[in-house]
Amino acid sequence: MTAAVLAPLPPLSDQAERLIGLGAHELAGLSADELRTYAGSADASDGGALLAVHPDRLPASALAPLLRREGKPGFVVTDMTDVDDFRPYGVELPDTPLYLGTGLDRGDHLADWTPEEALPALAREGRDPLTLTEGIHWVLQQSAALERNHCFMTIGSRLRKADGAYDARTPAIWISNGTGRDGRERRDAPKVGWCWWGNRHTWLGFGSATGRHA
């Protein structure tokens, strides 16, 4: 299957309205006017910027159910109850409620690489891995970013354990097949799950960005 060529992201004003329509601003403790004002004044001179809410204000567990595919809501896998404990890894997010991510790419060319291999490869390309919440925001604004056989990991989020080591799970966003604990009713729904740091998957690329700014 050939990956789709993605159109540019919607204008920031449209992205703000999308989040408002989903009630994301209320979940984040922001007003609709705050989103609209930010979108109207943000510097998007790079073109194709993604409007993101900081994960401290809007975590993955609240964002994932806002996803939709074929009328089915997104969900987090049942064995990832600690999804919100996965924090930015190797990336710095602006210390603001709202910020922009630029130069998004799904990383299809890195499919069948392990996260451990992909991270330095992205750095060599001058790119930073997407965080989980950034990946969800992207699919919320551009559903075509998620397609069968061309989904992506978000290795800019990792979980540090109590002993200081990193959990071997790495978050990813893909499409449920409705098997196992997902349940048949969730077939084709957007899914937040995890893979192992040292494993390969032919159908998972590595989402990344060229920059972030407030």
Side-chain angles (χ1 to χ4, degrees):
M1 179 179 176
T2 302
V5 176
L6 297 178
L9 276 160
L12 293 176
S13 58
D14 290 354
Q15 293 185 44
E17 292 304 325
R18 169 77 171 148
L19 293 176
I20 292 166
L22 292 168
H25 63 300
E26 295 175 339
L27 295 172
L30 298 168
S31 70
D33 284 346
E34 285 178 288
L35 257 72
R36 291 182 176 122
T37 299
Y38 177 82
S41 62
D43 177 16
S45 58
D46 311 80
L50 175 71
L51 173 58
V53 182
H54 197 286
D56 286 348
R57 301 294 291 265
L58 190 56
S61 63
L63 270 174
L66 303 181
L67 292 167
R68 290 290 184 279
R69 186 176 187 275
E70 298 188 7
K72 297 180 180 180
F75 66 99
V76 179
V77 293
T78 57
D79 57 355
M80 204 175 181
T81 56
D82 53 0
V83 64
D84 293 339
D85 294 329
F86 283 72
R87 306 300 299 167
Y89 170 77
V91 298
E92 289 190 18
L93 303 186
D95 188 20
T96 54
L98 301 167
Y99 68 95
L100 301 181
T102 57
L104 271 62
D105 183 78
R106 196 167 58 188
D108 293 348
H109 65 296
L110 297 175
D112 208 26
W113 290 43
T114 69
E116 188 173 21
E117 295 166 337
L119 187 62
L122 290 173
R124 289 192 295 270
E125 296 173 9
R127 309 188 66 85
D128 292 326
L130 290 184
T131 66
L132 176 55
T133 54
E134 288 169 346
I136 299 173
H137 273 292
W138 187 12
V139 179
L140 279 174
Q141 299 291 354
Q142 192 171 39
S143 59
L146 196 68
E147 55 178 323
R148 284 206 175 275
N149 301 315
H150 296 288
C151 302
F152 59 95
M153 295 194 203
T154 54
I155 60 173
S157 294
R158 293 196 72 184
L159 172 63
R160 189 185 287 272
K161 299 186 291 186
D163 63 4
Y166 281 100
D167 193 286
R169 293 172 296 165
T170 54
I173 307 170
W174 72 91
I175 300 167
S176 175
N177 286 324
T179 57
R181 286 179 288 183
D182 288 3
R184 284 187 295 177
E185 70 281 1
R186 282 176 163 162
R187 179 174 174 79
D188 297 321
K191 172 179 176 177
V192 171
W194 55 270
C195 305
W196 297 116
W197 183 251
N199 281 13
R200 306 173 187 275
H201 298 277
T202 59
W203 45 278
L204 284 174
F206 292 85
S208 65
T210 54
R212 298 167 177 85
H213 59 86

